[in-house]
Amino acid sequence: MEKHYPVLRKCVLFRNIEDMNYEHLLQCLGTQVRKYKEEEYVFFAGDVINHIGIVLSGVVEIMKENLAGNKHILAFIEPSGMFAEGIVCTAKRISPVTVQVKEDAEILFIPYERIIMSCGNVCGFHISLIQNMMIILGEKNFNLNRKLELLTLKGMREKIASFLINESLERKSNTFHIILNRTQMADYLNVSRTSMCRELARMKEEGLIDYYGHSFKILDMDELAQCLE
Amino acid sequence: MEKHYPVLRKCVLFRNIEDMNYEHLLQCLGTQVRKYKEEEYVFFAGDVINHIGIVLSGVVEIMKENLAGNKHILAFIEPSGMFAEGIVCTAKRISPVTVQVKEDAEILFIPYERIIMSCGNVCGFHISLIQNMMIILGEKNFNLNRKLELLTLKGMREKIASFLINESLERKSNTFHIILNRTQMADYLNVSRTSMCRELARMKEEGLIDYYGHSFKILDMDELAQCLE
DNA sequence: AAAAAAATGTAGCTGTGGCTACAAATTAAA
DNA sequence: TTTAATTTGTAGCCACAGCTACATTTTTTT
């Protein structure tokens, strides 16, 4: 377990709990670790969830799948990232999303009750945990809002532009690689792959962007930003 | 102020704080009340927000407005409802949404710091406040997810069906009134009003639903649910 | 009650983007 | 390498939804 301490240290839930004895902390919280193989499901939409998950290694995918089989990717969670933190705070704790492992993963589970309740012992970190939980929920909200923004855009070009500009901002460079392949990117933008490819080709032809495989380059940022207005 | 106590009592933030002396509570939290006229803006997307708002009377609208002027309604908040609770929990506290008053309103503002910090005095309600804040954020998350679900639907009929089924479930009846008018409903579904009206007419013709003004009636729930698959 | 304003419904035209089908290229397996 | 499988790109067709324009109804104002 010790090998995962650096990952935990980066986890937002444990922020401002520097002087920590992790052994004691984890025990007090009643945590459990489980290993998953690629493609394995952690839980499904509709399941009742009582634990928060922290990815120690590997990658998990958060997604929605409707009855028609259309899949929509909400996020990829990498080591030190969390999931299910929004679900456990609701009244019914029914997950609206499905979580699937994309690369062999180890996941740390923490019972929600242990986070919001004080443990009875004199553990000073509970207040910090609670405040961190709030920040996490706030940020989650913020990200959902960004996602909403993307989905409310009307045109294909607007969606692509918004996506690429955001990626570029996050990497702080006009040249960047994306993790997603075309199918995943289309899922993320909630459009059909073929239409997206067509529009990407047009934008390349017009000299707005350039790309090859997963590498993208924004050639005319001003013009690209114009697409959003 | 006393006249608003019943409204506060219904507010989720004050749940499980029954034995409360509101006078003391509100003072300890450093609350302020402001009155707004219809159409007046409470704050704009991009503003930095440090207060949570609770609607005491009237109605406010939460929305996004892009540069092209397309407006997208996220929610209507009625008395005892809250807003900005998601924003204040984030790191930057920059609002992604604009809040506008739709019916003359009185709004109670609470500085975020006063909620998450203990006040130094022996006020037992702080822990409850914090736990309530978490539930609120969780529910907010849940609603955003529902909204996302709606927006990821492809067809007009699917969106309408999803919306109507949800309304029906909430009212627990196949006959119900909606608060939104056609334009607002179209905004909410992120479609054009005319196309929505056309599809509504078709669905009525096919005997799926019936409606007049703001009253709706689901005639064939099975068939309607079928639209989502 | 009359007039004005706002909300709702309808029709026709058009463009975007989804879909099928296939080609080309890249990656993985034999 | 050859073969198979997966990913990516292209083309054509067509339906759906957006838009403009206007008719009709309902609500508000005078």
Side-chain angles (χ1 to χ4, degrees):
Chain A
M1 190 58 212
E2 286 74 18
K3 62 179 173 184
H4 292 129
Y5 288 174
V7 177
L8 289 180
R9 202 175 305 268
K10 281 198 290 179
C11 180
V12 193
L13 184 61
F14 299 120
R15 199 184 275 166
N16 296 324
I17 313 187
E18 309 297 344
D19 53 340
M20 228 322 109
N21 174 346
Y22 278 116
E23 200 179 340
H24 170 227
L25 175 75
L26 295 178
Q27 191 194 320
C28 175
L29 288 176
T31 60
Q32 279 187 315
V33 177
R34 252 202 74 182
K35 295 188 180 192
Y36 291 86
K37 288 281 172 201
E38 198 172 316
E39 302 292 300
E40 208 176 333
Y41 287 91
V42 181
F43 57 76
F44 294 89
D47 289 355
V48 173
I49 310 299
N50 290 305
H51 296 73
I52 284 170
I54 298 178
V55 177
L56 297 175
S57 66
V59 177
V60 306
E61 177 186 284
I62 315 292
M63 59 154 173
K64 278 175 175 296
E65 224 163 1
N66 68 14
L67 300 168
N70 294 321
K71 175 172 146 182
H72 187 218
I73 298 172
L74 292 174
F76 285 97
I77 312 289
E78 300 185 324
S80 84
M82 301 172 61
F83 61 90
E85 71 276 14
I87 306 160
V88 295
C89 292
T90 63
K92 295 181 177 173
R93 302 194 183 175
I94 296 171
S95 174
V97 295
T98 294
V99 177
Q100 188 182 22
V101 169
K102 280 294 146 185
E103 284 175 24
D104 291 10
E106 290 170 280
I107 300 176
L108 179 84
F109 291 100
I110 309 176
Y112 175 61
E113 271 70 18
R114 296 293 188 95
I115 293 180
I116 54 160
M117 306 289 194
S118 279
C119 63
N121 309 327
V122 275
C123 301
F125 53 76
H126 279 287
I127 298 285
S128 293
L129 277 183
I130 289 170
Q131 293 194 357
N132 286 338
M133 268 301 288
M134 292 234 263
I135 291 176
I136 289 162
L137 288 173
E139 301 289 341
K140 198 89 183 178
N141 248 290
F142 183 79
N143 286 328
L144 281 176
N145 263 300
R146 269 216 350 191
K147 189 86 226 245
L148 262 174
E149 211 156 330
L150 196 66
L151 288 175
T152 50
L153 291 175
K154 289 286 162 57
M156 176 67 74
R157 180 167 294 213
E158 283 160 277
K159 289 187 180 183
I160 293 174
S162 174
F163 174 75
L164 291 179
I165 289 172
N166 258 320
E167 288 293 311
S168 162
L169 286 177
E170 270 178 25
R171 315 297 166 96
K172 300 189 204 307
S173 163
N174 281 346
T175 316
F176 52 87
H177 287 252
I178 60 173
I179 325 151
L180 310 171
N181 64 29
R182 294 287 181 276
T183 307
Q184 293 169 326
M185 181 173 158
D187 279 346
Y188 185 77
L189 299 183
N190 198 40
V191 296
S192 83
R193 184 188 59 80
T194 51
S195 300
M196 187 187 74
C197 283
R198 173 172 47 194
E199 191 62 27
L200 278 172
R202 280 197 203 120
M203 292 168 83
K204 182 196 259 184
E205 201 182 23
E206 292 178 26
L208 273 173
I209 58 171
D210 195 17
Y211 60 88
Y212 179 79
H214 291 209
S215 326
F216 280 80
K217 184 171 191 174
I218 294 178
L219 298 174
D220 189 341
M221 178 58 95
D222 292 344
E223 197 63 33
L224 197 65
Q226 200 86 9
C227 297
L228 300 179
E229 294 168 19
Chain B
M1 190 60 211
E2 286 74 19
K3 63 179 172 184
H4 292 129
Y5 288 174
V7 177
L8 289 179
R9 201 175 306 267
K10 281 197 290 178
C11 180
V12 193
L13 183 61
F14 299 119
R15 198 184 277 166
N16 296 324
I17 313 186
E18 309 296 345
D19 52 340
M20 226 325 106
N21 174 345
Y22 279 115
E23 199 178 342
H24 169 227
L25 175 75
L26 295 179
Q27 191 194 320
C28 174
L29 288 176
T31 59
Q32 279 187 314
V33 177
R34 251 202 74 179
K35 295 189 179 190
Y36 291 85
K37 287 282 173 201
E38 198 171 317
E39 303 291 301
E40 206 175 334
Y41 287 92
V42 181
F43 57 77
F44 293 90
D47 289 355
V48 173
I49 309 300
N50 291 304
H51 296 72
I52 284 169
I54 297 178
V55 177
L56 298 175
S57 65
V59 177
V60 306
E61 177 187 284
I62 315 291
M63 59 153 172
K64 278 173 175 297
E65 222 163 3
N66 67 15
L67 299 167
N70 294 321
K71 174 172 147 183
H72 186 219
I73 297 172
L74 292 173
F76 283 95
I77 313 289
E78 300 185 322
S80 85
M82 302 173 60
F83 61 91
E85 71 277 13
I87 305 159
V88 295
C89 291
T90 63
K92 296 182 177 173
R93 303 194 182 175
I94 296 171
S95 175
V97 295
T98 295
V99 177
Q100 188 182 21
V101 169
K102 280 293 147 185
E103 285 176 22
D104 291 8
E106 290 169 280
I107 300 177
L108 178 84
F109 291 100
I110 309 177
Y112 176 60
E113 271 71 18
R114 296 292 190 95
I115 294 180
I116 54 161
M117 306 288 193
S118 278
C119 64
N121 309 327
V122 276
C123 301
F125 53 76
H126 279 286
I127 297 285
S128 294
L129 277 183
I130 289 170
Q131 292 193 359
N132 285 340
M133 267 301 287
M134 294 235 262
I135 291 176
I136 288 162
L137 288 174
E139 300 289 342
K140 197 90 182 177
N141 248 290
F142 183 78
N143 286 328
L144 281 176
N145 264 300
R146 267 215 353 190
K147 187 88 227 240
L148 262 174
E149 210 157 330
L150 197 66
L151 288 175
T152 51
L153 292 175
K154 290 286 162 55
M156 175 67 75
R157 180 167 295 213
E158 283 160 276
K159 289 186 179 182
I160 293 174
S162 174
F163 174 76
L164 291 179
I165 289 173
N166 259 321
E167 289 291 312
S168 162
L169 286 177
E170 270 179 25
R171 315 297 166 96
K172 299 188 205 308
S173 163
N174 282 347
T175 316
F176 51 89
H177 287 251
I178 61 174
I179 326 150
L180 310 172
N181 64 31
R182 293 290 182 274
T183 307
Q184 294 168 327
M185 180 173 158
D187 280 346
Y188 185 78
L189 300 183
N190 199 39
V191 295
S192 82
R193 184 188 60 80
T194 52
S195 299
M196 188 188 75
C197 283
R198 173 172 46 194
E199 190 63 28
L200 278 172
R202 280 197 204 119
M203 292 167 83
K204 182 194 259 184
E205 201 182 22
E206 292 177 28
L208 273 173
I209 59 171
D210 195 17
Y211 59 88
Y212 179 79
H214 292 211
S215 326
F216 280 80
K217 183 171 193 174
I218 294 177
L219 298 174
D220 189 342
M221 178 59 95
D222 293 343
E223 197 65 31
L224 197 65
Q226 200 87 9
C227 297
L228 300 179
E229 293 168 21

